[in-house]
Amino acid sequence: MPSLDAAQLQDEVLRHLHLSLATDEANASDRDWRLALSLAIRDQAVKPWLESESRAKESGAKRVYYLSMEFLMGRLIEDLITNLRIEDAARNAMAALGQDYDSLVKREPDAALGNGGLGRLAACFLDSLSTLGIPAFGYGIRYEHGLFEQSFEDGRQMEEAETWLKAGDVWEIERPERQISIGFGGKVKEISGKTTWIPAESVLAVTHDTPVVGWEGNWTNTLRLWAARPVTPFDLDAFNKGKYKKAAKAEMDARNISRVLYPDDTTDIGKELRLKQEFFFTAASLRDLLQRHLDEGNDLTSLPNHVAIQLNDTHPAVAGPELVRLLADEHGMAMDEAITTARACLAYTNHTLLPEALERWSVKLFGKLLPRHLQIVKIVEKSHADSTGSKIKIIEDKHVKMGELAVIMAHKVNGVSALHSELVKENLFTDLHATYPDRLVNQTNGITPRRWLYECNPQLRTLINDTIGTAWPADLEQLKGLEAHADDDAFIARFAEAKAANKQRMAEWIKHRDGITIDPAMMFDIQIKRLHEYKRQLMNLLETVALWNDISDNPTANWTPRLKVFGGKAAPGYVVAKEIIHLINDVAVKLNADPKTRDMLQVLYPANYNVTMAEMMIPATDLSEQISTAGKEASGTGNMKFALNGAMTIGTLDGANVEIREHVGAENFYLFGLTAAEVEERRKVKDFAQKAIDASPRLTRVVEQIEAGVFSPGDKDRYTSLMERLRTDDYFLVTCDFDDYFNVQRTVDADYRNSRDWTRKTILNTARMGWFSSDRTIAGYAKDIWNARSLTKG
Ligand code: 26Q
């Protein structure tokens, strides 16, 4: 465990201020101070990082390669400080230098190289791989622009390019000498008996490495992100002839590949650039890991003993044919052996059942960009059919189905919660499951307790340390020890104080950020996640309006004051989700201005939700909304973060909610709604939505109010089509679950008033959430899928 004191760190910060940033104490900007501190911290990570890599090499142990289009890292400074255990030194050093540590740390922009759950899961997994001491690389794309920035204009979502690299990324090490050439297009030829792909164009993949430090600095892995650069920087001849645009075109085309993260988490947009992105980073990563394998003196037949490649959804599924191509065409392995070898290395994680999110590429586009890969897909398809008699096709309706390709090319395929994995077997890959009965497995998601408790909730961290000691961040099941204190009045009081302090912190944050005043005495009821119809933010909003009606009708009754908080972005092209955002903002304007009800009910929707905002809001939450249509949320991971931080959950039997409820106890979870099986049945009922509306006077009133323009005066018809969709095409069964949801919310109201018992339940939630550590998840992958071992643990 490296350690350094405040005085040493202070010297290091000054050294970087002077020598790396060429400024001094008198002239340094806030940015300079932040960078100087960060560089001083980064230095601390370098030696253990190099040591980890050489130990991995010497041991010959298997390495895990996590291929993901998205890594939603958030800020890194606190992560490094925490894991290196130098928080006190950093605080004291900066204080001695006359700088405010907290405000410096806050100036680091989020690395938002992901859309939501899938990208954040990848970030939690990296943290756990390092904490467990499993040699690993995260491989992805160094997007110049991460997820778009969201603002609201008259309640409508606006999008702007995000610019996290504006002030440079202090954590990355660029390695310009490590470049890999990646081809596209062209032809396949037989050259002296060898099948050879001759691409028409190529770009360079340039390495950017970031250290991922595990708990207590015992092990450090690498996040390796690829940036796309032109092979020839610039067309000098064209420039000299005055053709400036032409001169720059090749560079633009190349750089566009790593320019921007796709903000669409719902549909297969089928764009050439997306497929290029996928192949670009996958091919670079495979070439990189093969090179490492050969450099370490191994031959290719032993690849599966040294290499485990995890595909985060199908986005890198072209790894199947590309690895086969490298082994067979470039290294001369027999085709059958190449397929078997590739399969022994590859595993695939499925994150969704939504048909519109399953990737399919037109054969025309796929064959144009990747002609040899299309041939290999056909070879793989045939060998699968020949060896199993299976009728399942990878290519169907002139499309390459990436899910089927990934299942056939992987030795293990996992879903991300118990329920989801069952549905993957039953409904998504039914026939393939019958063909390969041992291939489909489950690994329930988890979250890193370092970021999602230790760092984001210092109040609760201190209380836990005082109560059960300090070993829990790397052994989260120890939280069980809190159960013994759940009836202890002094402990209950301190737990409630921590929650109150976190609510106060959030109130100050929103006041400072948006000038909005909220009352920390209200119940904080929070739904933060991507905007999507299946996640049913609309149902939450309809319940809000119904409650507003009830309060208006009877304002002197004994109401439980509530703050409804929404946060999240909609894909720019997702029209319905954007209408829902608009409606939330319209309802907020109306309700927050109503003098009769506003002390009992308020709505808050801060723009531009991101990882950092989550770290502020989750510890402040009383009630966590996990209300997706059963069968649609593969797992959810926000649900875990809330429960771990002492919130109650109101939720459906969907994704990991099912397992959370089993762990925390049914009596400590607010369950409502149809089950996945009931959802399927209900959809068959004619006019089920209109029938549900007719059966619910409360819902009827709310829908009619929205239709009448109560929340859009001056634009009466604004929500006509949204409400029409609800009446006639309510695919996600908002109407059917509404009454149950409303009623359970009233139980929540009543329970919240008994604050001792409420806090007791929230303590039991925290105490029983240890199983949801991503350390447990990664240990499961290591054992069941990768056969990888720890180099730090016995
Ligand atoms: C596909 C094609 C083209 C462009 C974009 C995409 C795309 C991008 C992102 C498709 C899907 C995603 C993201 C999916 C995702 O975040 N899924 C979530 O994964 C979490 C981690 O397993 C689960 O907890 C969530 O339930 C699941 O929704």
Side-chain angles (χ1 to χ4, degrees), residues 578-593:
K578 289 177 121 176
E579 284 178 1
I580 295 170
I581 290 180
H582 198 182
L583 180 57
I584 298 173
N585 282 319
D586 276 347
V587 166
V589 168
K590 179 93 182 165
L591 269 55
N592 296 347

Side-chain angles (χ1 to χ4, degrees), residues 26 137 166 371 516 535 743:
F137 279 75
K166 201 169 44 190
I516 297 172
K535 294 177 187 284
N743 291 330

